[in-house]
Amino acid sequence: VQLQHVCGGAWTFYHIGKAASHNEHGKKLHGDYGILQDVEIELSNPNAEAAQVEIVIQASGGAARGIFKLDGTTIETGLLRPNQESVLRRLKVAADSSRTVRLLTIPQAGSNYPVTLVVRTIK
């Protein structure tokens, strides 16, 4: 999946496990269990000043936890209550530039998916 976030613009959302995927045998994988999510996030900053961006995970379907690999660094959340969020990383994007980050994750057994990936500019 490729996401684009413009610094200073609207928040960017991606729902993991909202719609069930199917395996090669046609079986529904509710919550996308067993599906490796590979998300490329392009952060572009058209502004004259550097921007601070947060990449956040939010429990959207009940209590959830997650393990993420963000640009090669492993990040594990604690158990999140419904609608609770955890900041995976804060990044600086230089003025008039862009950068791309890669996030990998696989839904955790025993968690209530979906979860929502949120990318937002902070002040």
Side-chain angles (χ1 to χ4, degrees), residues 4-24:
Q4 294 183 336
H5 177 76
V6 177
C7 297
W11 292 10
T12 303
F13 299 94
Y14 177 62
H15 304 286
I16 300 170
K18 187 172 185 177
S21 296
H22 293 81
N23 69 12
E24 63 272 6

Side-chain angles (χ1 to χ4, degrees), residues 37-85:
Q37 301 284 330
D38 187 349
V39 183
E40 189 174 272
I41 307 166
E42 182 185 348
L43 306 168
S44 61
N45 183 7
N47 304 301
E49 294 181 7
Q52 192 83 346
V53 174
E54 285 183 332
I55 299 175
V56 175
I57 199 71
Q58 180 186 56
S60 304
R65 70 177 68 235
I67 297 176
F68 303 87
K69 199 160 222 49
L70 189 56
D71 277 350
T73 301
T74 302
I75 303 163
E76 185 172 357
T77 70
L79 184 63
L80 302 174
R81 294 182 307 271
N83 297 315
Q84 185 179 9
E85 61 182 40

Side-chain angles (χ1 to χ4, degrees), residues 95-113:
D96 295 316
S97 69
S98 64
R99 67 185 286 187
T100 301
V101 295
R102 184 175 182 205
L103 179 133
L104 298 170
T105 189
I106 191 166
Q108 299 289 296
S111 291
N112 295 292
Y113 275 66

